[in-house]
Every structure is written in C-alpha cells, then in structure tokens.
Amino acid sequence: MKTYDLIVIGGGAGGLTVASGAASLGATVALIEKNSELGGDCLHYGCVPSKAFIAAAKEVHQAQRAAEQFGFELNGKPDFSTAMKRVKDAIAHIQVHDSKERFTKLGVSIYHGEGTFKDKHHVVINNREIIKGKKIVIATGSRPNVPPIEGLKEVKFLTNESIFDLKNKPDRLLVIGGGPIGLEMAQSFARFGSEVTVAEAGPTIFGREDEDMIPIIKKELEKEISILYNAMTKKVEANAKGEKVVTIKQNNELKTYTFDEIIVSAGRKNNIEKLGLENIGVDVDKGAIVVNDYLQTSISNIYAIGDINGNFPFTHAAGMEGKVVVRNAVFGIKGKVNYDHTPWVTYTDPEVYHLGLTEQDAKDKYGEEFRTYKVAMNDVDRFIADRNNVGLLKVITKKNGHILGAHAVGKNASDWMQEIVMAKTNGLKIGSISNVIHPYPTHAAIVQQTADLYWREKLFNGSIPTITKKYIKWFR
C-alpha cells in the first residue's frame, strides 16, 4: 500500500491547485480523477467551452449589427460547425496546462477511477487499490441537476456536458432555467439564429444581483430571447417528427410549445454519492459537505473545496480555496477562507459583475450608514464613442469610503471592474481610485468617475465649501 502526505480526490480547478501547490512544495501527492483527462467541468464542459462559444456568437452579432448600421448586406448564414470547432480547439489548447504529463513531472501520482473512503486515512480506487493519506482533500465538483419533469428522461435533452457536441443549430430551443449558464447559452444560440425561449420558475432573473442591475440586463436580453417568468415545465414528450412537445405552466395556465432541442440548466448537484462519506461520518447538509472556516470537514484531516462544499460555486473560488488548503493541510499554518473580496461574472452581453454587498445587503447590515455612487455608461466618453453605452456602475461604501460592494452591467465589465476588487482587497477607500491616472479615453474611466463622486460629495457638500470660500477670500 502506498502512503502519501496528501490525497486529492478530483482533478478539476480546485483539486489541481492543491495537487500542484503541495507537490511543488515537497509533499508527496496522489491525485484521483474519474475521467481520462484532467481539468474538470470548467475546462471540458463549462468556463472554457462556453466562453469560446459566447465569443463566436458575439462576432456573428457584431457583424450583423455592422451590416445594419453601415448599410451593407451579409450573404449566407453563420456556420455553426465553425463555432463548435473553436470550442474544441480552445479546450485542446488549454488542456496542455492541465496535462497529466505536467503533473507527473511535478511528482504527482495520478490514479484514474472513483475514489471511495474506507476510513479517514484510506481511499479505495475502483474497489480495488487502496492508498493511504495523512491529509485528504475532496474536490469532486458538481454536475447538472435534472429536475423531475414528466417525460424528460425519455427524450433527448442537453446539459452543459453535451451542448458542445451539437452538430447543427436548433431552430427552436427551450432553456429550462434562467440562471447564468442558461442565459449565456440562450443569448449565444439566439445570435446564431435559434428562436430561444427560457422557462424561468421564478418571478425574475439575476435575483442575486443588485436591484439596479436587473432591469438593465433584463431589457437587453429580452431583445434577443423570449423569457417566460413564473414558468414551471410540467411535461415533455416527443412527437412523430422527433420534436419536443413541452407543457409549461405559467400563472396557473397550461400552454404547449414545440421545440427542436431542450437545454436543462436548472442548477447543479454535488458529486458526493460515490465517496462513501457515510463510511466515515463526514457531515453533509442539503447535498453539500459541511466545512469550517479552514475548509476542514467534520473530520479534521479531511478537507472539501469547490462546488462540493456549497460555499461559493465558481472556478476561481475553488482555486482560491485550494491555496488555503495547501497552507493549512501541508504546513499546518491556520488560515481562514474569506469570500468577501471574491467577485463573480455572468458573461452575457452586456456582462454582469458582482462584488460584495448589494445595496439591499448594505441596508440590512448597516441601516442608513452607507453611501452609493453610480455612473451610467452613457456618461463615459469611451462607451459613447464605441456606441455601446448601455449599462451602469454602482459602488457601495461605508460612510468613510471603504468599499462594501460594487456592481456593474456593461461591455467587458469583467475586465475594467478588477480595479475595484484590488482596492477592496487591500482595504483602500473608493476615493483612492480617483487619484489613479487613467489614459483617455478608456472603459475603466467609469471607475475613476465613480470614485470622483466620492470626493465631490466630500469636498462640495457640507461645511468644506464654506470654509474654503472664506480661505480663498482671505488668501486673495
């Protein structure tokens, strides 16, 4: 039996961060991955392929807009297979960074198969080989949740794990679920010419975002896709033509629709069933492994990171958690996980960016003891020049200027919002960004203009103008 300092179960973003970090620092590491390649959901089915597809759809959309605005004609239809090839190429290119060879060279022992706990130090691989680990990290991620809709499992449907195997664009597409993945895919398919309907069970989309962001992104998306709110998909069946006949209940009324393809985007389900957690007594709550601030489970030598712990289900958060675990599990230097400065982005067009508290969160926590600063895209010269000026930036601070949250809807918000993340992470006040020189004209100028509002409020309201007026009069 082989013994390791650290066993990592799951070769996705979080697991690879732990394995590479621990091995690079001299620990003996075993990595167990059920698939033939490393990289996890993000590389093969999520972040990477979806962004490649979104980029292709955006190019098609921009070409169509240019033809409309500049009065020339486009001939033919966009080649859907070209977009799918781009997706595969992107995966293959990035796979090199997550290759088995790279991790083997780092000294990581790679095992392919399912890992199941025998006890708190021993893991059985594929019911055959047993390995021992002083510390063990669970990073098995999640998979698409398939809701119990009548007839759904009897017809062919798509999830994020099968979308990118499509050969042809569907003419009529239903997306069940109006979450980030569903909306990103819905808009992209619409840009390739699909007639897209989103069935969202709730009364709105982007329910976790700041209230000022929701109307903006809803209006933009509804220009391209049809969204049914308070819509429950009740039944799915195939007709003689192979089409999907779907019954949807909306506002107590049943309606029947016909589609060529269905994408199920109704949340995620954690991959915990085959771990044998019941064998060792690891606490689980609502399908997620319970962890403390150090990412330890109820058994102290076992850690859980990424989607599996239910805290912050994003790839970049899993990577951050992986770094915390390397520090805690390998060196025993206690470090707590902190999500206060961890943003997320929904990559629709325009993008939706979220950092920290929303205004409602701030009201609940601080009452009226906070400030908000807002700048619209149509007040920023670069967005105006680009003729892409739909959107808003909103920063929420304490009264002293320390940043509580920042939210945006706008073109490429995932890029220019990072300046605020940097400031918040380092405890800087929003006003500090006002002093940073930004080239003119840039999209990031919106961040500086928002910071300028802080100084405008400080300097031009209250007693300061009265004092400076007297000083200037005396000085002259």
Side-chain angles (χ1 to χ4, degrees), residues 1 61 74 103 121 127 143 177 237 241 255 331 352 366 408-409 423 430 432 459:
M1 180 192 306
H61 181 66
L74 288 176
F103 282 83
H121 286 292
N127 295 316
R143 63 186 185 275
E237 54 188 338
K241 297 179 182 179
K255 294 182 180 180
F331 289 104
V352 183
Y366 296 99
V409 173
I430 182 63
S432 64
L459 296 177

Side-chain angles (χ1 to χ4, degrees), residues 22-64:
S24 297
L25 292 168
T28 56
V29 180
L31 175 63
I32 304 171
E33 169 55 40
K34 64 180 180 179
N35 296 316
S36 60
E37 297 290 346
L38 305 180
D41 188 87
C42 180
L43 174 58
H44 298 286
Y45 312 117
C47 321
V48 171
S50 67
K51 303 314 166 284
F53 185 57
I54 289 168
K58 187 177 290 187
E59 288 183 34
V60 170
H61 181 66
Q62 289 169 340
Q64 294 166 341

Side-chain angles (χ1 to χ4, degrees), residues 292-296 303 321 323-325 327-329 332-338:
N292 61 18
D293 290 341
Y294 305 102
L295 298 171
Q296 293 169 298
Y303 299 75
E321 291 175 343
K323 294 177 182 178
V324 172
V325 164
R327 174 181 174 179
N328 291 342
I333 302 173
K334 287 287 189 178
K336 293 184 178 181
V337 68
N338 184 348

